[in-house]
């Protein structure tokens, strides 16, 4: 069975600090996809990144960076120089290998609430 | 382009009633998925429809049903509502079957069961 664990329930940082959100996943599939979503207070999930299991390159997008380590089944997310607008709940999610004709659902972690204060 | 839209935004029902939630996907997207998000938890997969056929079902009772229309919009129906059905119901659309392509989420319908 698939499982995503986000051990950090809540993190509080002061603006401009760097913060890393941890994500550990479990799957028996060899091909899978990993995602990060942001959920601001408005409730709408905002897509941040998708990674497939064969691409272990780290990625940087502005102040956001992602560290995918297959050996430890982790897909951590770092925000550099955090800002108040980064305050939200962040979800890590896993999608299993797609079989032709069947659905591939997203399995979400329980989320990490990030609070950035001035 | 318009994103995923859901209606209504909020809904209050009493136990035993029935509810219908609606979702319109992004234009050109053929897949719609439904998720239930209980307060303080991550979204839980309910259904996925692709090309008007059910392609996946999560661990939810038969009180939950859904369908997809020829224009790819979708309805989620919940019968015999229980207090535990109170949650944010999220709809997501994608070009193809979810997992390969990213899912784009709507703002959700917040259902309160009294």
């Amino acid at each position: 069975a698939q499982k995503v664990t986000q051990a950090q329930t809540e993190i509080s940082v002061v603006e401009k600090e760097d913060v890393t959100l941890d994500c550990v996943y479990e799957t028996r599939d060899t091909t899978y996809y990993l995602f990060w979503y942001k959920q601001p207070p408005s409730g709408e999930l905002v897509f941040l990144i998708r990674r497939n299991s064969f691409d272990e390159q780290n990625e940087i997008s502005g102040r956001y960076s992602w560290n995918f380590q297959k050996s430890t089944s982790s897909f951590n997310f770092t925000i550099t120089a955090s800002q108040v607008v980064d305050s939200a709940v962040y979800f890590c999610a896993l999608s299993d290998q797609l079989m032709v004709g069947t659905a591939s659902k997203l399995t979400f972690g329980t989320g990490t609430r990030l609070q950035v204060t001035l | 382009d318009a994103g995923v839209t859901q209606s209504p935004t909020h809904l209050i029902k009493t136990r035993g009633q029935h509810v219908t939630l609606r979702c319109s996907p992004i234009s050109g997207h053929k897949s719609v998925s439904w998720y239930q998000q209980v307060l303080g938890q991550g979204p839980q997969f309910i259904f996925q429809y692709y090309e008007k056929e059910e392609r996946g079902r999560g661990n939810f009772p038969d009180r939950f049903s859904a369908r997809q229309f020829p224009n790819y919009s979708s309805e989620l129906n919940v019968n015999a509502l229980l207090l535990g059905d109170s949650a944010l119901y999220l709809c997501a659309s994608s070009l193809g079957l979810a997992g390969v392509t990213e899912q784009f989420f709507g703002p959700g319908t917040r259902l309160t069961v009294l």
Side-chain angles (χ1 to χ4, degrees), chain A residues 47-80:
Chain A
F47 168 81
L48 296 177
I49 190 171
R50 180 189 67 187
R51 216 11 147 222
N52 78 52
S53 53
F54 295 109
D55 183 0
E56 289 193 68
Q57 273 193 334
N58 291 332
E59 180 155 340
I60 298 174
S61 175
R63 296 184 298 107
Y64 296 170
S65 62
W66 291 269
N67 182 5
F68 177 27
Q69 293 201 340
K70 216 167 174 178
S71 59
T72 56
S73 297
S74 65
F75 187 42
N76 297 336
F77 172 34
T78 297
I79 302 175
T80 303

Side-chain angles (χ1 to χ4, degrees), chain A residues 1 5 25 32 60 67 69 77 84-85 87 105:
Chain A
T5 301
Y25 61 91
Y32 50 88
I60 298 174
N67 182 5
Q69 293 201 340
F77 172 34
V84 172
V85 293
S87 297
K105 64 178 184 180

Side-chain angles (χ1 to χ4, degrees), chain A residues 33 35 37 39 42-45 47 50 91 95 98 101-106 108-110, chain B residues 35 37 40-43 45 48 55-56 88 90 97-103 105-107:
Chain A
Y33 299 85
F35 301 78
Y37 282 87
Q39 189 173 42
S42 61
E44 189 166 340
L45 282 165
F47 168 81
R50 180 189 67 187
F91 290 97
S95 182
L98 181 66
T102 65
S104 185
K105 64 178 184 180
L106 284 174
F108 284 84
T110 51
Chain B
Y35 291 81
Q37 186 178 17
Q41 298 293 318
F45 174 75
Q48 186 187 56
R55 297 301 187 98
L88 180 67
L90 295 162
L97 286 168
V100 179
T101 56
E102 36 283 34
Q103 295 187 47
F105 284 81

